[in-house]
Amino acid sequence: MKIEGLKVLVTGGAGFIGSHLVDRLVDASCQVIVLDNLSTGKLENIAHHLTPNGKVRLVKADIRNVELVNQLVKDCQVVFHEAAVVGVKRYVENPIDVIEVNVLGTHNILEAARKHDVERLILASTSEVYGKNIKAPLSEGDDRVLGPTYIDRWCYSTSKALDEHLVIGYHRRYGLKPVILRYFNVYGPRQECSAYGGVVSRFIAQALTGRDLTVFGDGKQTRCFTYIEDIVEGTIRAAEVDEAIGKILNLGSTNETKIIDLAHLVIKLAGVEGKVKPIYIPYEKFYGRWYEDLPRRVPDVSEASKILGFSSKTNLVEGLRETIEWYKRNFNRLSEITL
Ligand code: UDP
């Protein structure tokens, strides 16, 4: 199936990943409905498409609204379900919202997709599903390793794993045609840089506003940072390739980076060496008591490579350069940064 010209629904389409996906879908002449409650998504991320003759329609509403979800899905051939409560600090501050939005919302989307027989449903899932399994690289069939439910951090992993179970259930029971994508530490322009944002956007915002970079823990923990364009490409391919139906696929870079090295790299690329420095902050000070970190998380992308032809093409230096340039041009977004 080619995505060109199709009618698509993007939940969370005004958010970081969703809005980049919308850009790409508009380029492919799709008619796009964006369903977003703008709780963390931003109108300015898609404002350039909201012209009178534009191909994008924004519906400002919550994915928990059963009736509305039903109506919107009815008109679409493909659903990209990107809406979720995301951001590690949110998991420890508001686990109830995380679970309600991510699980109940996804259930609504799936019910509507089943009723209206959509041609493809893409679930944006996450590497967080693996929890603290330190096996490297992580393959889609690997175990989930989670801490106790006292630790709020695991609520996001659990909510997304439930979403995956639901999707697989709908596929097996009703013949829904889904693809589950586990994104690994996505970064790029438009990512939130507040206390709830990812480490890359936070470090860039700190560097560009003359603040020291807050490295939590000892900074030796690693992640595989994946540039947004590569994620968008993989997500579109997932909707197009028939062999992906019913599969779970990792999408991520395989380049493992220590957080302290990321801090030094951002300082260098932002051109602020000697002006700001990394400072070490205990986890508890930032996240409170109910947080636990993951020492490492590396994807095995051989399935996505085989099925989708996916590879993470953008190296970290290139991706960081693009992102830093974007923040420099969109200085207003840096006002989100606090600590
Ligand atoms: N982190 C950090 N400083 C920050 C934000 C995050 O050192 O200002 C660390 C965080 O503790 C974790 C890693 O960076 O070890 C990645 O955090 P992020 O919230 O981006 O995503 P995660 O991979 O934990 O879901």
Side-chain angles (χ1 to χ4, degrees), residues 58 73 85 132 138 143 168 170 240 272 285 309 320 322:
L58 169 66
V73 169
V85 177
K132 53 183 175 178
L138 289 158
D143 288 344
I168 292 165
Y170 271 73
E240 293 189 322
V272 291
K285 190 163 174 225
L320 286 177
E322 289 285 331

Side-chain angles (χ1 to χ4, degrees), residues 59-289:
V59 179
K60 184 177 175 294
D62 200 289
I63 54 170
R64 285 169 292 182
N65 183 334
V66 180
E67 258 317 297
L68 185 75
V69 163
N70 205 33
Q71 271 173 38
L72 298 178
V73 169
K74 192 168 168 216
D75 292 333
C76 293
Q77 293 156 293
V78 179
V79 176
F80 292 94
H81 180 33
E82 305 283 331
V85 177
V86 186
V88 177
K89 204 165 158 61
R90 285 196 183 92
Y91 316 156
V92 294
E93 283 181 2
N94 207 341
I96 299 173
D97 265 15
V98 170
I99 293 162
E100 281 187 6
V101 172
N102 297 0
V103 180
L104 302 182
T106 298
H107 187 245
N108 289 341
I109 305 283
L110 288 172
E111 261 302 293
R114 169 184 78 82
K115 259 190 219 150
H116 302 296
D117 225 0
V118 300
E119 288 172 35
R120 208 70 95 243
L121 178 128
I122 310 300
L123 173 73
S125 189
T126 169
S127 54
E128 184 85 5
V129 164
Y130 295 107
K132 53 183 175 178
N133 188 342
I134 52 162
K135 175 178 174 267
L138 289 158
S139 308
E140 292 82 351
D142 282 332
D143 288 344
R144 305 179 54 226
V145 180
L146 300 180
T149 44
Y150 282 126
I151 302 295
D152 288 320
R153 195 237 160 88
W154 307 120
C155 73
Y156 180 67
S157 174
T158 303
S159 74
K160 282 291 181 178
L162 265 175
D163 286 354
E164 293 194 6
H165 276 300
L166 278 169
V167 166
I168 292 165
Y170 271 73
H171 172 58
R172 292 185 181 154
R173 184 186 289 179
Y174 302 114
L176 185 77
K177 294 178 185 149
V179 186
I180 296 169
L181 300 175
R182 290 187 181 157
Y183 298 151
F184 280 68
N185 289 78
V186 190
Y187 73 98
R190 300 183 191 151
Q191 188 170 30
E192 188 175 2
C193 62
S194 72
Y196 303 97
V199 65
V200 172
S201 53
R202 283 178 49 74
F203 280 179
I204 291 175
Q206 289 167 338
L208 294 181
T209 55
R211 293 170 163 88
D212 288 336
L213 278 62
T214 54
V215 173
F216 301 148
D218 64 8
K220 290 187 184 141
Q221 68 274 33
T222 69
R223 294 294 188 273
C224 292
F225 297 104
T226 314
Y227 193 57
I228 182 69
E229 266 180 35
D230 296 323
I231 288 292
V232 168
E233 194 54 41
T235 304
I236 298 281
R237 297 283 299 145
E240 293 189 322
V241 175
D242 287 350
E243 298 92 280
I245 294 170
K247 297 263 176 7
I248 301 171
L249 298 169
N250 288 338
L251 292 188
S253 156
T254 48
N255 172 29
E256 198 177 359
T257 304
K258 285 194 187 112
I259 299 303
I260 183 64
D261 294 342
L262 174 74
H264 287 297
L265 189 56
V266 167
I267 289 172
K268 185 171 156 220
L269 296 175
V272 291
E273 279 163 309
K275 295 192 183 123
V276 300
K277 59 182 182 314
I279 46 164
Y280 291 94
I281 295 185
Y283 290 118
E284 190 161 338
K285 190 163 174 225
F286 185 74
Y287 294 109
R289 216 178 136 193

